[in-house]
Amino acid sequence: MFIARKLKKENIVEYLLYMWQVEDLLRACKLDMDAVNEKLIMTQQLPEEQRKALYEWSESLIEMMKQENIQEKGHLQLNKNIIIELNELHHRILQAKKDAGYAAKFYHVLPLIVQLRAKQTDPGLCDIEICFNFLYGIMLLKLNKISISDETLRAQEEISKFMVLLAKNYNLYRKDELDLDG
């Protein structure tokens, strides 16, 4: 919760990847608050007040996951909304034609996105969600100490660079410092 707050202000891409990991951690605890408390909350060196806040936050996420029927897979609507917002911003940046560096980086990674799209089971995913799925998959492979090919690591590096630009533009947009008027 505390990390999530910080990341949401500083880097929306890292925030969303973190939130997807939180969803998976809650699922690993079978959405059972006793297990979450024992394995995730009580293991943290936090003052009681912060522990209570983390407990309540976890409890509310679990409740939302149950209400949205994503106990086994999928993402919370609040996280999907971020993808929608980032995708809309992405298209606005491209349409404004004011950030040649952003456009160049996107068109540089577009062949990678096309390759990744071909491997997706959901053909309706936007380019931004495909990038997130790829980066999250790489993160899981690394956490599980599974070897990753050099080609995949190069793709990760390029897509990460693009997502850094998107995150920077998002921060500017949120501060009303991004000129998208054409």
Side-chain angles (χ1 to χ4, degrees), residues 58-181:
S58 300
E59 194 172 45
S60 70
L61 290 176
I62 287 172
E63 185 59 33
M64 284 188 275
M65 290 173 76
K66 289 177 180 177
Q67 288 175 353
E68 295 178 24
N69 199 25
I70 58 164
Q71 294 93 322
E72 294 182 27
K73 65 179 183 172
H75 300 294
L76 287 166
Q77 188 61 50
L78 61 95
N79 293 330
K80 289 179 185 179
N81 291 345
I82 292 170
I83 295 278
I84 292 166
E85 185 177 10
L86 288 172
N87 190 55
E88 288 172 357
L89 177 62
H90 163 69
H91 286 288
R92 287 188 64 199
I93 294 167
L94 292 176
Q95 289 170 351
K97 297 181 180 175
K98 291 190 174 194
D99 190 341
Y102 180 88
K105 182 46 92 175
F106 171 67
Y107 290 116
H108 176 74
V109 299
L110 187 55
L112 298 171
I113 294 170
V114 169
Q115 288 177 359
L116 292 168
R117 181 179 305 286
K119 297 175 184 178
Q120 298 290 317
T121 56
D122 182 354
L125 295 180
C126 67
D127 294 341
I128 301 304
E129 189 164 2
I130 288 171
C131 291
F132 272 105
N133 286 344
F134 176 70
L135 293 176
Y136 189 69
I138 295 293
M139 187 176 87
L140 291 178
L141 291 173
K142 287 180 177 180
L143 285 171
N144 288 303
K145 298 182 171 110
I146 297 172
S147 67
I148 303 168
S149 73
D150 289 342
E151 179 183 1
T152 301
L153 289 173
R154 281 191 297 277
Q156 177 205 9
E157 184 178 336
E158 293 305 315
I159 288 174
S160 292
K161 288 176 185 176
F162 165 65
M163 297 300 276
V164 164
L165 291 177
L166 180 60
K168 284 181 182 177
N169 279 306
Y170 179 82
N171 284 347
L172 291 171
Y173 175 73
R174 299 296 287 175
K175 295 177 192 172
D176 204 24
E177 296 175 6
L178 186 64
D179 180 17
L180 295 174
D181 295 325

Side-chain angles (χ1 to χ4, degrees), residues 43-69:
T43 58
Q44 310 247 348
Q45 298 295 321
L46 297 171
E48 188 56 37
E49 180 181 301
Q50 289 183 343
R51 237 187 227 144
K52 183 176 186 246
L54 184 56
Y55 184 96
E56 290 170 357
W57 182 69
S58 300
E59 194 172 45
S60 70
L61 290 176
I62 287 172
E63 185 59 33
M64 284 188 275
M65 290 173 76
K66 289 177 180 177
Q67 288 175 353
E68 295 178 24
N69 199 25

